[in-house]
Amino acid sequence: MNIRSARVDQLAQRLARLTGEDVETALERAVEERLSRVAPPAPADRTAALDAFFERVSRMQVLDSRPVDEIVGYDGVGCRPDGSGYLRDHRLHHE
Protein backbone atom coordinates (compact mmCIF):
# COMPACT_ATOMS: atom_id res chain seq x y z
CA MET A 1 0.00 0.00 0.00
CA ASN A 2 1.37 3.39 -0.96
CA ILE A 3 0.32 6.18 1.41
CA ARG A 4 1.79 9.54 0.45
CA SER A 5 0.67 11.52 3.47
CA ALA A 6 2.97 11.17 6.48
CA ARG A 7 0.05 11.97 8.80
CA VAL A 8 -2.21 9.31 7.26
CA ASP A 9 0.65 6.81 7.41
CA GLN A 10 1.21 7.58 11.13
CA LEU A 11 -2.47 7.21 11.87
CA ALA A 12 -2.69 3.94 9.94
CA GLN A 13 0.37 2.54 11.71
CA ARG A 14 -1.02 3.56 15.11
CA LEU A 15 -4.40 2.01 14.38
CA ALA A 16 -2.75 -1.21 13.20
CA ARG A 17 -0.64 -1.35 16.37
CA LEU A 18 -3.61 -0.73 18.65
CA THR A 19 -5.82 -3.30 16.93
CA GLY A 20 -3.16 -5.91 16.29
CA GLU A 21 -4.07 -5.94 12.60
CA ASP A 22 -1.92 -5.31 9.58
CA VAL A 23 -2.20 -1.79 8.15
CA GLU A 24 -4.37 -2.83 5.20
CA THR A 25 -6.90 -4.65 7.40
CA ALA A 26 -6.96 -1.79 9.92
CA LEU A 27 -7.62 0.75 7.16
CA GLU A 28 -10.25 -1.44 5.50
CA ARG A 29 -12.17 -1.85 8.75
CA ALA A 30 -11.81 1.84 9.62
CA VAL A 31 -13.20 2.87 6.24
CA GLU A 32 -16.06 0.36 6.53
CA GLU A 33 -16.93 1.62 10.02
CA ARG A 34 -16.89 5.24 8.86
CA LEU A 35 -19.00 4.45 5.80
CA SER A 36 -21.54 2.67 7.98
CA ARG A 37 -21.99 5.93 9.92
CA VAL A 38 -22.12 8.38 7.01
CA ALA A 39 -23.59 6.45 4.07
CA PRO A 40 -27.07 4.99 3.81
CA PRO A 41 -27.04 1.20 3.95
CA ALA A 42 -26.89 -0.72 0.71
CA PRO A 43 -30.29 -2.05 -0.46
CA ALA A 44 -29.51 -5.60 0.71
CA ASP A 45 -28.50 -4.26 4.14
CA ARG A 46 -31.63 -2.11 4.27
CA THR A 47 -33.80 -5.11 3.43
CA ALA A 48 -32.10 -7.21 6.10
CA ALA A 49 -32.50 -4.40 8.65
CA LEU A 50 -36.20 -4.03 7.82
CA ASP A 51 -36.70 -7.79 8.01
CA ALA A 52 -35.03 -7.85 11.43
CA PHE A 53 -37.16 -4.89 12.59
CA PHE A 54 -40.42 -6.50 11.49
CA GLU A 55 -39.38 -9.79 13.08
CA ARG A 56 -38.76 -8.00 16.41
CA VAL A 57 -42.04 -6.10 16.16
CA SER A 58 -44.02 -9.25 15.35
CA ARG A 59 -42.80 -10.79 18.63
CA MET A 60 -44.02 -7.83 20.70
CA GLN A 61 -47.01 -8.19 22.97
CA VAL A 62 -50.29 -6.94 21.47
CA LEU A 63 -51.68 -4.33 23.83
CA ASP A 64 -54.88 -3.57 21.90
CA SER A 65 -56.31 -6.18 19.55
CA ARG A 66 -58.83 -3.87 17.89
CA PRO A 67 -58.37 -3.18 14.15
CA VAL A 68 -56.18 -0.16 13.40
CA ASP A 69 -59.06 1.82 11.86
CA GLU A 70 -61.10 1.33 15.01
CA ILE A 71 -58.23 2.50 17.24
CA VAL A 72 -57.67 5.57 15.05
CA GLY A 73 -61.40 6.17 14.79
CA TYR A 74 -62.00 5.74 11.05
CA ASP A 75 -64.91 3.79 9.62
CA GLY A 76 -64.77 1.42 6.64
CA VAL A 77 -64.69 4.24 4.08
CA GLY A 78 -62.03 6.36 5.76
CA CYS A 79 -64.22 8.79 7.69
CA ARG A 80 -64.09 9.73 11.35
CA PRO A 81 -67.29 9.73 13.43
CA ASP A 82 -67.74 13.46 12.74
CA GLY A 83 -67.83 12.75 8.99
CA SER A 84 -64.38 14.15 8.24
CA GLY A 85 -61.51 12.04 6.99
CA TYR A 86 -59.29 11.31 4.05
CA LEU A 87 -61.92 10.16 1.55
CA ARG A 88 -64.41 12.94 2.29
CA ASP A 89 -61.70 15.62 2.36
CA HIS A 90 -60.01 14.19 -0.74
CA ARG A 91 -63.27 14.24 -2.72
CA LEU A 92 -63.94 17.85 -1.71
CA HIS A 93 -60.57 18.99 -3.07
CA HIS A 94 -60.74 17.06 -6.32
CA GLU A 95 -64.34 17.40 -7.49
Side-chain angles (χ1 to χ4, degrees):
M1 180 170 282
N2 182 14
I3 299 174
R4 295 180 187 190
S5 165
R7 176 77 176 134
V8 173
D9 186 52
Q10 289 172 343
L11 291 170
Q13 294 294 332
R14 180 174 175 219
L15 181 60
R17 247 188 340 272
L18 291 169
T19 61
E21 301 164 333
D22 60 76
V23 173
E24 188 171 334
T25 301
L27 285 174
E28 178 182 6
R29 289 187 178 167
V31 170
E32 286 174 346
E33 287 175 19
R34 180 79 186 270
L35 284 171
S36 73
R37 290 191 305 269
V38 300
D45 294 340
R46 189 176 306 121
T47 299
L50 284 171
D51 288 344
F53 170 77
F54 288 123
E55 177 61 30
R56 282 192 314 274
V57 169
S58 71
R59 291 191 307 260
M60 290 179 163
Q61 179 183 2
V62 175
L63 300 176
D64 191 333
S65 61
R66 293 178 296 163
V68 173
D69 283 342
E70 185 179 331
I71 293 170
V72 175
Y74 285 88
D75 66 15
V77 294
C79 291
R80 292 185 290 263
D82 66 0
S84 66
Y86 174 78
L87 289 179
R88 181 179 173 278
D89 298 342
H90 186 71
R91 280 193 208 113
L92 289 175
H93 295 299
H94 290 87
E95 287 182 349

